[in-house]
Amino acid sequence: MSKKTPLSMRAAAGKPSLTMAIAAKAKGFKVDGKDVVSFAPGEPDFKTPAHICEAGIKAINDGMHGYLPNPGMPELRKATCNWLKDDMGVDYNFSQILVSPGAKFSVYLAIQAMIDPGDEVLLPAPYWVSYPEMVGLAGGNTVVVQTDEAKGFLLTADMIEKQITEKTKAIILTSPSNPSGAVISKEDIEKIGVLLEKYGLYCISDEIYSKLLYAGNEHFSIAAVSDYCKEHTIVVNGCSKAYAMTGWRIGFAAGPEIIIKAMASIQSQATSNACSIAQPAALAAISGDQSCVEEMRVEFEARQKLIVDLLNDIEGVDCAVPGGAFYVLPDISKCLGKEYCGKVVNTPFELCDILLEEKLVACVPGEAFGTEKHIRLSYATSREDIEKGCKRIKEFLEQ
């Protein structure tokens, strides 16, 4: 008998999230008592607002300890329709909504439901670390669409059209973007929508940062462009970023019923349903007082200005001003190829590794996002830590 290998080809080919790995290493240093400044994790540092927590506590006290319907609580799915209508201006029916354990899992489900082996998925770069891995797990092929840093990493329809082939099945859009914070304009979204119909494509539109916009930028969903776009787009959103609920694990998907049902079927075999306690909390989040979202957004905007100014004050660092989310993606290429303690630092990964070991500052190298010129810093941390961390980065690069 032939010897069986312990891992499937799928598992062997997969890569762990570099973002999560660095965040975990930084937390390990903190446990050891080290004064770490972490710009790595993509989660707000705010506490979940009190009225949301109270709804979760009430769910526990009311005995909501059992299974819920696989697609989500009916009340939450109905409320999601209203919430998305306010956010996007698009009408969805109850049957077009799926509640999942996080927006990340919603994206995964959409890819699993739509992509076959050999299908091509267009992915604008810089991209979120998990997208290409998710496409690969479905047997699809990622085709990178390179954006222009000089124009703020903004995606255009022309960039996309050049990469379309007969094998192209879908495009993944993220606006505001993780990691660049770029916000695609309404005009460009409309032109991309025209391409969807022209070439018969589908879209997964990750809009998890739609509430976190700055300097007059506005959110516009591709699902709002036309009836065709609405029927060929899976919109993904959730509670993690805007309501500081990352650990509650609640995400939403909205789209054509045939795809939503397929996603729900996969979810039923994988996780049954999203957490029964977190769903009433999510209902309180999207249906209740929204002033907490604005308060966090205002603070994020102040932090954004602070970190951009501090980074641009460092020789060799060029940091563009993002339009949304809570990340900056500074270009550190002028700092590469230089020596530190007898070792030449050639890549963002090497720079971030030494920066964490020597200066106790955690950043995510650009390789995780498809760029070899940048590092990503999350400013979802205190102003004090932003100042302290940027000071350490400056000292490190001067050395």
Side-chain angles (χ1 to χ4, degrees):
M1 281 180 76
S2 61
K3 186 178 179 180
K4 304 295 191 296
T5 59
L7 297 180
S8 67
M9 290 187 291
R10 186 184 311 109
K15 300 174 185 176
S17 168
L18 191 54
T19 307
M20 299 299 288
I22 291 170
K25 186 175 181 179
K27 286 180 180 178
F29 282 1
K30 284 187 177 182
V31 170
D32 292 338
K34 296 180 180 179
D35 181 23
V36 177
V37 176
S38 183
F39 294 120
E43 63 177 335
D45 60 320
F46 303 108
K47 292 181 179 179
T48 303
H51 70 284
I52 300 173
C53 293
E54 289 165 5
I57 294 169
K58 185 175 185 300
I60 294 173
N61 292 333
D62 287 350
M64 287 191 66
H65 311 150
Y67 292 123
L68 292 177
N70 163 241
M73 284 173 52
E75 303 94 325
L76 180 55
R77 293 168 73 196
K78 290 176 181 176
T80 302
C81 291
N82 296 330
W83 186 69
L84 293 175
K85 176 67 181 294
D86 290 341
D87 190 49
M88 302 162 46
V90 180
D91 287 308
Y92 287 101
N93 297 322
F94 172 85
S95 60
Q96 294 177 296
I97 303 296
L98 175 66
V99 180
S100 295
K104 186 174 189 175
F105 194 58
S106 298
V107 174
Y108 176 80
L109 288 171
I111 291 171
Q112 286 292 320
M114 295 167 63
I115 303 304
D116 282 320
D119 284 344
E120 291 180 351
V121 178
L122 303 186
L123 184 58
Y127 47 72
W128 181 46
V129 57
S130 294
Y131 292 144
E133 293 300 315
M134 290 179 180
V135 172
L137 286 170
N141 299 316
T142 297
V143 177
V144 173
V145 179
Q146 197 64 52
T147 58
D148 186 353
E149 180 180 2
K151 296 181 179 178
F153 299 107
L154 294 177
L155 180 69
T156 67
D158 290 341
M159 295 173 184
I160 293 172
E161 191 163 23
K162 291 175 183 177
Q163 301 291 347
I164 295 174
T165 71
E166 290 185 357
K167 294 182 180 180
T168 305
K169 177 74 176 285
I171 179 171
I172 297 177
L173 296 181
T174 316
S175 181
S177 164
N178 173 9
S180 71
V183 179
I184 307 173
S185 70
K186 179 180 178 181
E187 180 183 5
D188 284 319
I189 287 284
E190 289 173 339
K191 290 179 179 178
I192 294 168
V194 171
L195 289 185
L196 288 190
E197 187 164 4
K198 179 179 178 181
Y199 293 99
L201 305 180
Y202 289 85
C203 179
I204 299 171
S205 184
D206 187 345
E207 303 179 13
I208 190 65
Y209 298 98
S210 65
K211 301 286 187 184
L212 301 177
L213 295 158
Y214 317 114
N217 280 290
E218 295 182 357
H219 173 60
F220 188 72
S221 175
I222 193 168
V225 170
S226 66
D227 289 341
Y228 180 92
C229 288
K230 180 185 174 186
E231 290 304 314
H232 289 74
T233 297
I234 296 295
V235 173
V236 173
N237 213 313
C239 295
S240 295
K241 313 300 182 180
Y243 300 96
M245 293 178 66
T246 51
W248 296 78
R249 307 314 301 137
I250 294 292
F252 311 118
E257 192 170 329
I258 187 172
I259 299 177
I260 293 296
K261 282 186 175 180
M263 292 168 62
S265 178
I266 297 169
Q267 177 167 286
S268 73
Q269 301 295 350
T271 67
S272 294
N273 59 264
C275 175
S276 61
I277 297 162
Q279 289 193 52
L283 178 60
I286 66 174
S287 301
D289 182 6
Q290 300 298 297
S291 61
C292 58
V293 178
E294 179 61 11
E295 289 170 6
M296 288 186 275
R297 190 204 66 80
V298 168
E299 175 60 19
F300 280 138
E301 188 164 23
R303 295 175 183 182
Q304 181 217 73
K305 185 179 187 307
L306 175 64
I307 197 169
V308 169
D309 287 347
L310 289 172
L311 289 172
N312 280 327
D313 191 47
I314 301 173
E315 185 177 354
V317 176
D318 296 308
C319 184
V321 179
F326 41 65
Y327 309 102
V328 286
L329 194 70
D331 184 337
I332 46 84
S333 58
K334 295 175 184 175
C335 305
L336 301 178
K338 298 184 179 182
E339 189 175 295
Y340 180 80
C341 294
K343 180 182 178 182
V344 177
V345 180
N346 288 313
T347 67
F349 180 85
E350 291 174 355
L351 188 147
C352 288
D353 189 51
I354 298 174
L355 185 60
L356 180 55
E357 292 286 345
E358 299 293 328
K359 294 294 184 181
L360 299 177
V361 177
C363 304
V364 185
E367 290 95 331
F369 311 108
T371 171
E372 297 182 355
K373 295 173 55 181
H374 303 82
I375 60 175
R376 191 197 76 173
L377 291 79
S378 166
Y379 50 88
T381 189
S382 69
R383 299 191 203 190
E384 179 184 359
D385 271 2
I386 289 171
E387 291 176 346
K388 184 195 300 184
C390 288
K391 181 180 178 180
R392 292 180 186 179
I393 293 172
K394 184 174 183 178
E395 291 171 352
F396 170 70
L397 294 178
E398 285 175 348
Q399 294 171 355

